[in-house]
Amino acid sequence: MEALKSINLGDWKSAIVDMSYPATKDVAGLVSELDRMCQEAEAAARNGAKIIILSDRDAGKTRVPVSSLMALGAVHHHLIRCFMRTQVALIVETGEAREVHHFCCLLGYGADAICPYLVMEILGKLREQGLLDPPLTDGQIFDNMISACSRGIAKVMAKMGISTLQSYKGAQIFEAVGLGVDVVERCFDGTPSRIGGANFAILAEEALQRHWQAFADREGDNRLVSNPGFYQWRDGGEKHINDPINIANLQEAARSKSEHAYAKFVESAENISQHCTLRGQLELRWAAQAIDIAEVESAASIVKRFATGAMSLGSISRETHETLARAMNRIGAKSNSGEGGEELRRLLDDEVPTESIRSAAYRLTEPVKLGCHSQCCAERDQCPLSLDL
């Protein structure tokens, strides 16, 4: 990284844009600093720099780091509007990015390279403290980290049907949830954000709170890394659908088969849904006058339009795959076998009662890639063919 910062070989020059600002600027400093970064990046490009490094290395007790994704997005789109984006490479040197999702977001919004220096430093400290088993050299640790992140990024790209990093970089295949229009237009132009949300003032306040927690002159919390519970439930932390109370109520209802226990589970599930999902924020608007029940379609008729997703045998267990098919057949709905069809023994259930038939109504087959037998294609209601040649 230091070599790139000091490069000056012929037409190849680099410029560093600081992604931090004085804490004394408080909340109002964020927007002006984004403007400053954009202007510095544009000036560097016009002065012939081929590499622009966005770095938060100077963040510290007196300087607040700007979100690397927000800074990158602002600079990326500013250079596009100036018709200069293709003339420079953007490298992000940040202590914020630490996992595959962070790297994917940075790449998706235009980063040409990422240097997650804090992750590498932490891994080095873990080795020094003997917390890695088996013991590894720094080179092995860093190679393993890079390899794991590369595989993770490739997996994300594959799920989107993208095979090359060049196609993924700058593609912005994201939808924002909880970001205001002003933030999206400035930093993530073109990204859908259908419900609005946090503006620059809120994001700046959150950044200042994190900075205060890290550098405040006090004993206690700043000596211990707080766990907000992003990945695993923590009391008082981030809310999760599968919290201990909800799981306990579900287990009690399943074991006791009690209506009262099930009602408790429904109540806790609805309560936690309000904290974790968009649908949980919706409320039913009741009609002033009830309609005649005779005008309401019967449940038996409604469920016939239900259908399961196409889940291949292997993506879920055999028992689950068969149970879904049996349940859909029992209520007159449709199940989907997923690619590859299904086992021949399940096609021989036609002599048993409908509620016991394990065969799917829809069979999505790939005879070329996965292979399937002719009887699989000949029977049941629908049999779409997927030919990936």
Side-chain angles (χ1 to χ4, degrees), residues 295-307 331-334:
E295 300 179 20
V296 180
E297 188 177 3
S298 67
S301 176
I302 293 174
V303 297
K304 290 181 179 179
R305 297 194 292 273
F306 287 7
I331 65 176
K334 308 294 184 184

Side-chain angles (χ1 to χ4, degrees), residues 21-30 32-33 36 62 64 208:
Y21 63 96
T24 53
K25 287 191 174 183
D26 205 51
V27 174
L30 178 59
S32 62
E33 288 301 311
R36 187 262 305 167
T62 61
V64 181
L208 288 168

Side-chain angles (χ1 to χ4, degrees), residues 113-128:
I114 306 164
C115 176
Y117 64 86
L118 189 57
V119 170
M120 299 303 185
E121 292 176 7
I122 290 174
L123 291 174
K125 289 291 184 182
L126 291 175
R127 184 196 63 77
E128 291 177 5

Side-chain angles (χ1 to χ4, degrees), residues 28 77 169 328:
H77 283 289
K169 190 181 69 175
M328 292 295 103

Side-chain angles (χ1 to χ4, degrees), residues 25-334:
K25 287 191 174 183
D26 205 51
V27 174
L30 178 59
V31 175
S32 62
E33 288 301 311
L34 287 174
D35 290 338
R36 187 262 305 167
M37 286 184 271
C38 291
Q39 296 302 322
E40 288 185 6
E42 179 185 352
R46 294 189 185 281
N47 290 332
K50 300 298 184 183
I51 300 173
I52 297 177
I53 301 171
L54 304 176
S55 176
D56 59 16
R57 281 275 190 178
D58 289 340
K61 190 170 185 176
T62 61
R63 297 187 67 82
V64 181
V66 177
S67 164
S68 57
L69 181 60
M70 190 158 53
L72 169 68
V75 171
H76 172 72
H77 283 289
H78 180 76
L79 293 176
I80 289 175
R81 288 188 285 268
C82 295
F83 303 101
M84 304 191 72
R85 179 61 185 93
T86 57
Q87 300 177 24
V88 297
L90 290 178
I91 298 178
V92 180
E93 183 187 32
T94 177
E96 183 182 36
R98 58 192 179 275
E99 56 190 65
V100 170
H101 176 67
H102 300 162
F103 302 141
C104 287
C105 288
L106 290 171
L107 292 169
Y109 282 96
D112 292 284
I114 306 164
C115 176
Y117 64 86
L118 189 57
V119 170
M120 299 303 185
E121 292 176 7
I122 290 174
L123 291 174
K125 289 291 184 182
L126 291 175
R127 184 196 63 77
E128 291 177 5
Q129 296 171 10
L131 298 177
L132 298 181
D133 185 28
L136 301 171
T137 65
D138 282 343
Q140 290 174 319
I141 294 171
F142 300 151
D143 288 344
N144 289 347
M145 173 66 184
I146 294 171
S147 177
C149 292
S150 298
R151 291 196 301 271
I153 294 170
K155 184 175 182 180
V156 172
M157 290 166 48
K159 287 183 177 180
M160 301 303 299
I162 297 174
S163 57
T164 64
L165 184 59
Q166 188 66 29
S167 298
Y168 187 84
K169 190 181 69 175
Q172 299 190 183
I173 50 174
F174 301 95
E175 179 172 350
V177 178
L179 279 182
V181 175
D182 55 342
V183 179
V184 173
E185 289 181 349
R186 173 71 71 90
C187 303
F188 312 110
D189 193 21
T191 300
S193 182
R194 291 181 281 186
I195 64 171
N199 55 22
F200 282 115
I202 294 174
L203 296 176
E205 183 63 38
E206 291 179 349
L208 288 168
Q209 287 178 0
R210 290 191 295 270
H211 183 265
W212 179 82
Q213 289 175 351
F215 296 104
D217 293 325
R218 72 194 195 291
E219 297 293 332
D221 292 345
N222 55 341
R223 290 186 174 272
L224 296 173
V225 178
S226 60
N227 187 339
F230 290 148
Y231 309 109
Q232 186 175 5
W233 182 88
R234 288 290 184 271
D235 189 17
E238 190 82 3
K239 298 292 185 180
H240 290 261
I241 286 285
N242 295 325
D243 72 343
I245 295 177
N246 206 28
I247 294 299
N249 290 339
L250 174 60
Q251 292 175 338
E252 182 184 357
R255 291 167 181 166
S256 66
K257 296 182 173 58
S258 164
E259 290 187 8
H260 175 68
Y262 183 74
K264 286 177 57 181
F265 164 67
V266 171
E267 181 181 0
S268 64
E270 290 180 349
N271 180 59
I272 198 65
S273 177
Q274 293 177 354
H275 296 283
C276 300
T277 65
L278 291 178
R279 66 177 182 273
Q281 301 297 311
L282 301 177
E283 294 181 358
L284 293 176
R285 182 185 297 174
W286 300 97
Q289 183 178 358
I291 62 175
D292 188 349
I293 193 64
E295 300 179 20
V296 180
E297 188 177 3
S298 67
S301 176
I302 293 174
V303 297
K304 290 181 179 179
R305 297 194 292 273
F306 287 7
T308 66
M311 295 174 284
S312 299
L313 182 62
S315 64
I316 54 179
S317 69
R318 173 181 292 170
E319 293 80 6
T320 303
H321 205 267
E322 294 183 5
T323 299
L324 285 171
R326 187 181 291 115
M328 292 295 103
N329 290 331
R330 181 175 299 179
I331 65 176
K334 308 294 184 184

